[in-house]
Amino acid sequence: SQGTIGVVLKISSSVEYATRLMVCLARRRGQPPASAEALSESENVPADYVNQILLRLKRAGLVESHRGSAGGYGLAREPSSITLDQVFSAVEGPVFEDVCAKFDGGARDCRHQGRCGISPVWAKLGSLIDQYLNSVTLASLLAEPTPGASVVEAARTSRSL
């Protein structure tokens, strides 16, 4: 609509998949490593993506791999020490690109540099996004109720009666 400013923050499928895989691994903490195939199946993530994402997460030190017939993947650290910002950054880099920062360094010049009234908005928005993503850990996500969980639990309870 006319007169409104819309900011669209797009989360890629890679970031979404990585987050789901990391929550799954956090939920499995203390169990044997999970194979890429098992993670693909349990989280309904295409196997090709799972392997690529796990490699990026491993390079970032968020997951570790175990070789052998009982091998697979597990978290490299406690769920309470892994933030969404770390997961997002491992997969795709910064979530929010400061619009004005891309003009720093003189490679390209912004026509509004020095006279722009909206520059502080982008800086604040980037800071708020970073702050929030750094405050959300895998442990805090595990503590959140899963949508539909009460419905599933109610169905299980009624069947067992």
Side-chain angles (χ1 to χ4, degrees):
S1 69
Q2 193 175 32
T4 60
I5 297 174
V7 175
V8 177
L9 179 64
K10 293 183 179 183
I11 302 297
S12 71
S13 57
S14 294
V15 168
E16 179 197 347
Y17 294 158
T19 305
R20 287 176 28 207
L21 292 170
M22 291 296 285
V23 169
C24 179
L25 290 173
R27 199 176 290 120
R28 294 180 47 86
R29 190 89 171 147
Q31 296 179 27
S35 69
E37 295 80 22
L39 290 167
S40 172
E41 189 174 308
S42 77
E43 293 305 307
N44 197 26
V45 175
D48 291 345
Y49 273 119
V50 171
N51 289 313
Q52 292 172 22
I53 290 167
L54 288 171
L55 182 61
R56 291 178 189 166
L57 294 169
K58 183 180 174 189
R59 285 183 188 146
L62 300 177
V63 300
E64 55 189 14
S65 62
H66 303 273
R67 294 179 176 251
S69 60
Y73 293 88
L75 293 182
R77 302 194 316 252
E78 290 297 319
S80 60
S81 71
I82 299 174
T83 66
L84 284 186
D85 184 65
Q86 292 167 338
V87 174
F88 287 21
S89 294
V91 176
E92 288 200 348
V95 173
F96 183 80
E97 181 183 344
D98 182 342
V99 175
C100 301
K102 67 183 172 188
F103 295 107
D104 287 349
R108 295 186 301 189
D109 194 30
C110 176
R111 297 182 307 157
H112 306 289
Q113 219 162 20
R115 301 182 313 272
C116 181
I118 198 157
S119 180
V121 172
W122 300 132
K124 179 69 175 175
L125 181 58
S127 174
L128 288 170
I129 291 169
D130 286 345
Q131 203 172 28
Y132 177 71
L133 292 177
N134 276 303
S135 74
V136 179
T137 65
L138 295 180
S140 66
L141 289 175
L142 291 178
E144 291 288 321
T146 305
S150 59
V151 174
V152 171
E153 190 55 39
R156 284 185 187 141
T157 304
S158 67
R159 277 187 261 155
S160 64
L161 295 177

